Amino acid sequence: MKTNIIMKVMNIIFWIVFIGLCLETGALLVSLFVTLFINSNGAEDTYMGLNLLDLYNFNVEHYIGVASFSITLSALKAYLAYLVIKLFMKFDLNYPFNEKTASVITLMSHYALSIGVVAIIAENYANRIMRQGLTLQIDWGAEQFLFFAGIIYIIALVFKKGVEIQSENELTI
Amino acid sequence: MPIIVNLDVMMAKRKMSLNELSEKVGLTLSNLSILKTGKAKAVRFSTLEAICEALECQPGDILEFVE
């Protein structure tokens, strides 16, 4: 009973996170479009107070690069949140170890790793820009996602083993 | 799989249907079917005991090893 309530609450939280990340991705896309084609002052408040106007004035290509990385990471995080929601929808406590759950968890680990790798590339890119004299304070969260990817991958391996054990148990007469 | 289950052979010898065996042994028809068709991965001793008792036979009459 308590577990079901916690699962429902977490499901709602992840729906909120997913919608928030979708809005963030959309806002970043719109901001990039507005800055490039309508009004360059759009870079002053890209999303939630993120000011990239100095970067835009410094080099438009670098601005497009940083904005693209932000949009890509935001979109990947939104998809990861969607996978978590999908996991909650497919998860059945009576039969937890099944192929669908194991495959969703494996996919989550792959996407978390992708986010980590893209974040590292973005971090290195931002550091290269900062060496040219510009200040760019963006937390890409590379280490956190790489750590998360490692943990989720191990959980995925445990789930796969669990599926094997469960199917063997089901075929034991 | 190297282990073959000759349950249908023993059932035919004892002239027993799957339903009858299922009632005597206390297994569901689907589980017996899994055993009969060779899809089972393992058999509990308690299940083997119940089947041998119902069919009045030895474990070797039901289970056969082929290379």
Side-chain angles (χ1 to χ4, degrees):
Chain A
M1 181 73 182
K2 194 177 168 187
T3 314
N4 282 337
I5 293 168
I6 292 170
M7 294 271 287
K8 278 181 185 165
V9 167
M10 285 182 73
N11 197 9
I12 292 167
I13 288 170
F14 273 101
W15 265 108
I16 294 167
V17 168
F18 171 63
I19 291 165
L21 285 166
C22 286
L23 289 171
E24 183 182 324
T25 309
L28 286 167
L29 267 167
V30 166
S31 178
L32 176 66
F33 178 80
V34 164
T35 307
L36 290 176
F37 302 113
I38 299 169
N39 185 356
S40 62
N41 287 330
E44 206 172 353
D45 189 6
T46 313
Y47 179 73
M48 299 282 272
L50 177 63
N51 188 349
L52 297 176
L53 188 60
D54 290 340
L55 179 63
Y56 179 82
N57 292 330
F58 178 73
N59 187 321
V60 177
E61 283 170 9
H62 282 328
Y63 168 76
I64 293 171
V66 169
S68 300
F69 272 119
S70 299
I71 291 164
T72 307
L73 280 170
S74 186
L76 284 170
K77 285 176 195 172
Y79 189 68
L80 187 62
Y82 166 72
L83 286 176
V84 174
I85 290 166
K86 203 171 162 183
L87 180 68
F88 273 108
M89 280 163 64
K90 284 180 193 280
F91 193 72
D92 180 7
L93 265 175
N94 297 320
Y95 298 101
F97 297 105
N98 59 73
E99 283 291 343
K100 285 178 189 170
T101 310
S103 67
V104 169
I105 294 174
T106 309
L107 198 59
M108 277 170 61
S109 73
H110 294 157
Y111 270 93
L113 181 66
S114 308
I115 292 170
V117 167
V118 171
I120 285 175
I121 296 168
E123 229 171 75
N124 283 317
Y125 181 66
N127 287 338
R128 227 165 29 104
I129 295 170
M130 284 200 283
R131 265 186 242 123
Q132 292 173 31
L134 206 71
T135 313
L136 202 64
Q137 293 297 332
I138 300 175
D139 179 22
W140 302 98
E143 296 89 358
Q144 291 92 317
F145 275 97
L146 286 174
F147 174 71
F148 177 66
I151 299 284
I152 293 294
Y153 182 68
I154 288 169
I155 292 172
L157 288 177
V158 169
F159 251 82
K160 277 183 187 168
K161 192 70 189 169
V163 167
E164 271 176 44
I165 293 170
Q166 181 150 313
S167 72
E168 200 167 306
N169 193 39
E170 277 167 10
L171 291 173
T172 296
I173 309 298
Chain B
M1 200 171 171
I3 302 284
I4 295 173
V5 179
N6 294 320
L7 194 63
D8 41 0
V9 172
M10 278 317 298
M11 279 167 63
K13 278 186 183 172
R14 299 289 182 259
K15 294 185 178 57
M16 197 181 290
S17 68
L18 207 62
N19 282 323
E20 277 178 71
L21 185 64
S22 158
E23 275 172 40
K24 281 191 175 182
V25 170
L27 280 178
T28 60
L29 277 172
S30 61
N31 276 350
L32 266 180
S33 179
I34 288 169
L35 192 59
K36 204 165 83 95
T37 53
K39 288 179 186 160
K41 290 235 167 94
V43 181
R44 294 190 179 93
F45 281 142
S46 55
T47 306
L48 195 57
E49 185 188 321
I51 291 172
C52 289
E53 205 169 359
L55 293 173
E56 292 170 6
C57 64
Q58 290 293 313
D61 297 328
I62 300 170
L63 303 171
E64 184 189 338
F65 172 75
V66 288
E67 286 189 43

